[in-house]
Amino acid sequence: MRLPGPLIVGGGPAGAAAAIVLARAGVRPTVLERHAVPHDALCGGFLSWSTASRLQHLGIDLATLGAHPVERVRLLAGNRQTEARLPQRCWSLSRRVLDARLLARAEEEGAEVWRGAKVARLVAGGAELAGGAAIEAEATILATGKHDLRGAGRPAMSTDPAVGLRWRLAGTAALQAMVGGAVELHLFAGGYAGLALQEDGSANLCMAVRRSVLASAGGDPVRLLERLAARHSALADRIAVAGSDPGLAQAVANVPYGWIAKHPAQGELRVGDQSAVIPSLAGEGIAIALASGTAAGLAIRDGIDAARFQKRLARRAQFPVRVAGAIARVGANPLGAAAIIEAVGLMPALSGLAARMSRMGEPAA
Ligand SMILES: Cc1cc2nc3c(=O)[nH]c(=O)nc-3n(C[C@H](O)[C@H](O)[C@H](O)COP(=O)(O)OP(=O)(O)OC[C@H]3O[C@@H](n4cnc5c(N)ncnc54)[C@H](O)[C@@H]3O)c2cc1C
């Protein structure tokens, strides 16, 4: 089957942003999204003021969606903790709500969205669906995020790669009072856990941890959480006041933090996590997803070829990915975590500086 416009594989933030931009340019894209109904993604759901502004340009208003306002960042490790005001208001929103709204927005702008359509692999000039059907298109955007397609995989970046884990903590008044309007970053050896309240009063607990640390808990995420809580009292306090035992919601193996695509595999434009994977302790993957999706839409509109697009995007992503990587390495070491807490305690503006340096800027004119 031949599509009337570009093909976008994956309907997360990157794919939806590309679809909105293309539809607005009068180029009718088709998004193939493997999930048939709105779903949650493994993500902290933290959205900075600059991401809120990108979303605003795409026609999404976070306050209207009921996103939880976040004004402060709280850093915790062992029995140390400090907090600082963020430079501007940020937000926390479940990915179920954000992604559903972005895809709906793309449809409102004129994009076609096929839900429940899983792509098996890219081929020259298009893609092959999981059932074997061939889809042809004049251009293809790869936006499958954390999931690699056969033949277009991202390399492992480490012999001990990060594993992503997510739990949902049922909201109680005590938990809401404890976390309040802060995003919490609980630092521990080999990883971190991010915690923030979301639009429905529940809390999203998201963790990136070295595979070896998870293996030391027998590969069992719930046992790992119990072990961490035994050593980090603030984390234990939050779990204790949650409305139910946190059952594991999601896990993703081998997150290739630090990877940046330098060129396409099959002539596609790679966006979001398929273009650059920023360490999530200090970086904001959704910001890169929206910026790269937007850039890919504009590149197709302007007739820029995939190789040139990818090179330009790689240049834009390099500095923020490096800065976020350096912060993550320091934070994953107990002495480094203590030093970060000390430094932010003495100079709260450091957290805002780190946030600014780990965000992707606008393209050079
Ligand atoms: C532990 C952790 C915490 C994080 N916390 C944050 C945070 O707080 N804030 C932040 O900004 N970023 C955070 N990130 C990063 C963020 O989750 C990603 O960068 C972001 O989701 C990337 O968006 P995307 O659109 O590229 O991919 P995704 O969000 O992964 O979306 C990809 C879409 O493609 C679909 N898809 C996949 N395969 C196929 C297929 N074969 N066929 C059709 N459709 C397919 C999926 O169903 C999905 O809808 C975190 C990451 C981790 C690991």
Side-chain angles (χ1 to χ4, degrees):
M1 172 182 189
R2 178 139 198 109
L3 298 178
L7 162 66
I8 300 172
V9 183
I20 292 169
V21 170
L22 283 165
R24 281 181 181 169
V27 185
R28 195 167 189 215
T30 302
V31 181
L32 305 193
E33 166 52 48
R34 67 181 178 147
H35 285 282
V37 290
H39 64 283
D40 253 317
L42 195 148
C43 186
F46 173 78
L47 304 161
S48 71
W49 66 95
S50 59
T51 303
S53 147
R54 275 189 202 286
L55 285 164
Q56 201 60 256
H57 285 297
L58 294 168
I60 310 286
D61 181 62
L62 289 171
T64 308
L65 291 178
H68 181 72
V70 174
E71 313 271 1
R72 308 183 72 77
V73 56
R74 187 172 300 134
L75 298 166
L76 310 98
N79 54 9
R80 292 169 192 258
Q81 85 171 57
T82 192
E83 64 180 72
R85 175 165 280 282
L86 288 159
Q88 292 182 44
R89 170 173 284 184
C90 302
W91 303 90
S92 171
L93 184 68
S94 72
R95 288 291 303 275
R96 176 187 296 271
V97 171
L98 178 66
D99 291 18
R101 186 65 208 115
L102 273 164
L103 265 190
R105 184 79 205 126
E107 283 175 307
E108 287 156 15
E109 294 283 357
E112 178 101 10
V113 178
W114 298 0
R115 294 181 175 78
K118 184 173 178 192
V119 167
R121 62 189 183 107
L122 297 184
V123 293
E128 189 182 293
L129 291 184
I135 307 285
E136 291 172 26
E138 65 193 40
T140 302
I141 294 178
L142 180 63
T144 53
K146 297 173 183 77
H147 303 278
D148 291 335
L149 291 186
R150 206 169 357 120
R154 300 159 301 167
M157 294 299 286
S158 156
T159 50
D160 190 10
V163 176
L165 302 167
R166 188 177 77 81
W167 291 265
R168 184 180 170 279
L169 303 186
T172 59
L175 182 63
Q176 286 156 4
M178 231 175 234
V179 181
V183 57
E184 295 194 340
L185 297 171
H186 297 255
L187 307 175
F188 54 83
Y192 83 97
L195 181 71
L197 298 176
Q198 297 199 315
E199 70 280 1
D200 60 358
S202 71
N204 189 42
L205 176 66
C206 209
M207 190 184 286
V209 61
R210 293 275 157 218
R211 187 167 62 194
S212 57
V213 177
L214 178 59
S216 72
D220 178 354
V222 175
R223 204 156 121 213
L224 171 67
L225 192 58
E226 284 165 5
R227 277 192 175 191
L228 289 171
R231 281 182 229 138
H232 301 267
S233 55
L235 191 55
D237 292 346
R238 275 116 185 108
I239 294 169
V241 298
S244 62
D245 276 349
L248 182 69
Q250 265 163 332
V252 171
N254 303 337
V255 182
Y257 280 144
W259 179 76
I260 297 177
K262 300 280 181 347
H263 43 75
Q266 297 264 4
E268 78 284 8
L269 290 84
R270 303 182 71 117
V271 296
D273 278 5
Q274 288 291 321
S275 67
V277 189
I278 193 160
S280 48
L281 170 67
E284 225 187 328
I286 297 172
I288 291 189
L290 298 173
S292 58
T294 299
L298 295 176
I300 291 176
R301 183 198 68 182
D302 298 340
I304 293 168
D305 69 68
R308 198 156 141 230
F309 162 78
Q310 217 64 61
K311 226 176 178 173
R312 277 189 188 174
L313 187 64
R315 268 203 303 269
R316 277 175 76 192
Q318 211 159 35
F319 184 70
V321 168
R322 275 200 194 141
V323 170
I327 296 172
R329 274 192 298 281
V330 176
N333 172 305
L335 288 177
I340 290 177
I341 289 178
E342 186 84 5
V344 172
L346 288 170
M347 238 189 301
L350 275 180
S351 60
L353 182 66
R356 286 199 173 95
M357 287 174 67
S358 54
R359 288 341 184 239
M360 198 155 87
E362 293 308 318

